[in-house]
C-alpha cells in the first residue's frame, strides 16, 4: 500500500501474469490518516488483467501490519483474453474472503 495523498492509497497486486491496481481510502470513522493494525481500507479496482471494465470493490481489514483479510466483491464485467477466457464475455459475480500474510 502506498499513499497517493493524505487518506488516499494505491496498491499494485501481481501473481504470475495477473495484475491488479486498487485505489483505497480509510473508512470514514478512521481519522488516524495512516494504515496501521486495526485499520480498514475501502477500495475499488481501477485495472485488472482479467477484466476489460472491472467492477470490483474490496474491504481490507488489517489485523497487524503483516496480516490482513480482504472481502472482494466482483460484480458484472467483461473478460479479457487472460487465463483462456474470451475477450468480451461476461464474467460471473463473485464474493470472496481472503486472508493474507506478508512474508
Amino acid at each position: 500500500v502506498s499513499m497517493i495523498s493524505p487518506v488516499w492509497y494505491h496498491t499494485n497486486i501481481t501473481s504470475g501474469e495477473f495484475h491488479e491496481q486498487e485505489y483505497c481510502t480509510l473508512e470514514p470513522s478512521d481519522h488516524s490518516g495512516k494504515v496501521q493494525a486495526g485499520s480498514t481500507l475501502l477500495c475499488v479496482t481501477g485495472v485488472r488483467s482479467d477484466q476489460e471494465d472491472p467492477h470490483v470493490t474490496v474491504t481490507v481489514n488489517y489485523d497487524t501490519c503483516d496480516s490482513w483479510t480482504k472481502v472482494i466483491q466482483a460484480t458484472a464485467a467483461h473478460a479479457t483474453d487472460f487465463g483462456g477466457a474470451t475477450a468480451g464475455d461476461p464474467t460471473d459475480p463473485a464474493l470472496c474472503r481472503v486472508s493474507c500474510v506478508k512474508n
Side-chain angles (χ1 to χ4, degrees), residues 1 11 13 20 22-29 35 38-45 55-63 67-74 94-100:
V1 175
T11 63
I13 300 162
E20 178 178 26
E22 295 173 349
Y23 299 91
C24 308
T25 189
L26 292 165
E27 68 179 342
S29 62
V35 178
S39 291
T40 298
L41 288 175
L42 306 175
C43 308
V44 295
T45 296
H55 294 261
V56 181
T57 57
V58 181
T59 303
V60 184
N61 294 300
Y62 283 87
D63 302 316
S67 173
W68 60 94
T69 300
K70 296 176 84 170
V71 176
I72 304 160
Q73 302 170 68
L95 178 64
C96 305
R97 181 184 171 129
V98 180
S99 295
C100 306

